[in-house]
Amino acid sequence: MIVDERIITFINSMDTENSEILETIEQEALASDVPIIRREMQSFLEVLLLMKKPMRVLEVGTAVGFSALLMSDYLPEGGHITTIENYEKRIPIARENFRRAGKEDKITLIEGDATEVLAEMEGTFDFIFMDAAKGQYIHYLPNVLRLLSDGGCLVSDNVMQDGDIIESRFAVERRNRTIHARMREYLYELKHREDLVTSIIPLGDGVAVSIKQGVEK
């Protein structure tokens, strides 16, 4: 927990419910211990989408499809989401959830390892939501930035690792030290690249919002 729990409870108490199908999928996911974006992050994502009005969205990490479905409700007419998932057990659940919500035409799910899929993708996206294996963010970044249009928005979720990110590597459990080091490297890269303007926000488990800007040569 990186923010006082009472503050989070207060903020979330103001929320209105999502659509009936989203509420159902969220409850099913929580009952199955499938991680989905937190309530406060949901609201933040909705506001960003309404501000940016992206026509082409890329999501790295589908899980059961909750966040893709949530985002699809806030796209302009004709907007489309491409989402990538590698965990075989969750792929059919995500596809079924897209069908249940009537969003098969608005969301395309690509199966496979994100590193390989991203390397083969072409074109550009106006908005990219990163919510996959945290230790891989730094490896995804080169192709993610290649695919992000100038002026496009990259949102990276869960970058604070439940607060571990601020600790010395020696204070982190040994099994988490590689992820800890890679996430620190990722955040440093986001903040120091000339082609990005990034804000790291203590919301949920931490979120980085980056805007890509053209760099004069």
Side-chain angles (χ1 to χ4, degrees), residues 166-193:
I166 66 172
E167 304 292 345
S168 159
R169 68 182 300 271
F170 300 106
V172 177
E173 290 186 32
R174 185 180 296 274
R175 61 190 175 89
N176 292 330
R177 287 179 184 173
T178 298
I179 295 176
H180 177 268
R182 288 179 179 177
M183 183 57 76
R184 281 196 166 196
E185 181 185 358
Y186 179 72
L187 293 177
Y188 184 91
E189 188 75 5
L190 292 184
K191 291 293 288 185
H192 289 81
R193 288 185 64 99

Side-chain angles (χ1 to χ4, degrees), residues 44-173:
F44 185 60
L45 200 53
E46 292 163 7
V47 170
L48 287 177
L49 289 165
L50 289 173
M51 289 173 61
K52 290 296 294 180
K53 297 179 173 56
M55 293 301 295
R56 299 193 70 214
V57 173
L58 173 63
E59 177 184 53
V60 185
T62 313
V64 295
F66 176 85
S67 51
L69 286 170
L70 178 79
M71 290 191 290
S72 72
D73 285 342
Y74 294 88
L75 297 188
E77 185 70 28
H80 192 86
I81 296 173
T82 300
T83 182
I84 304 169
E85 180 58 50
N86 193 39
Y87 189 28
E88 293 181 359
K89 291 184 178 179
R90 289 180 182 164
I91 290 170
I93 299 173
R95 291 195 187 281
E96 174 60 14
N97 285 337
F98 297 155
R99 187 200 64 77
R100 291 163 67 190
K103 295 293 182 72
E104 304 108 310
D105 294 338
K106 203 168 187 177
I107 303 171
T108 298
L109 195 161
I110 300 177
E111 301 179 28
D113 180 86
T115 303
E116 298 174 2
V117 173
L118 290 167
E120 294 177 358
M121 294 183 77
E122 298 180 354
T124 58
F125 295 86
D126 313 308
F127 192 99
I128 299 179
F129 182 47
M130 189 99 81
D131 190 22
K134 310 306 173 256
Q136 298 302 315
Y137 280 17
I138 188 66
H139 300 311
Y140 298 154
L141 188 60
N143 278 310
V144 162
L145 293 181
R146 176 179 62 81
L147 295 166
L148 186 64
S149 61
D150 285 347
C153 180
L154 166 63
V155 178
S156 308
D157 200 13
N158 301 120
V159 298
M160 291 289 106
Q161 300 178 324
D162 288 323
D164 277 356
I165 198 71
I166 66 172
E167 304 292 345
S168 159
R169 68 182 300 271
F170 300 106
V172 177
E173 290 186 32

Side-chain angles (χ1 to χ4, degrees), residues 19-32:
S19 64
E20 183 177 350
I21 184 63
L22 275 175
E23 290 291 329
T24 299
I25 292 170
E26 181 173 24
Q27 291 307 311
E28 291 171 353
L30 293 174
S32 302

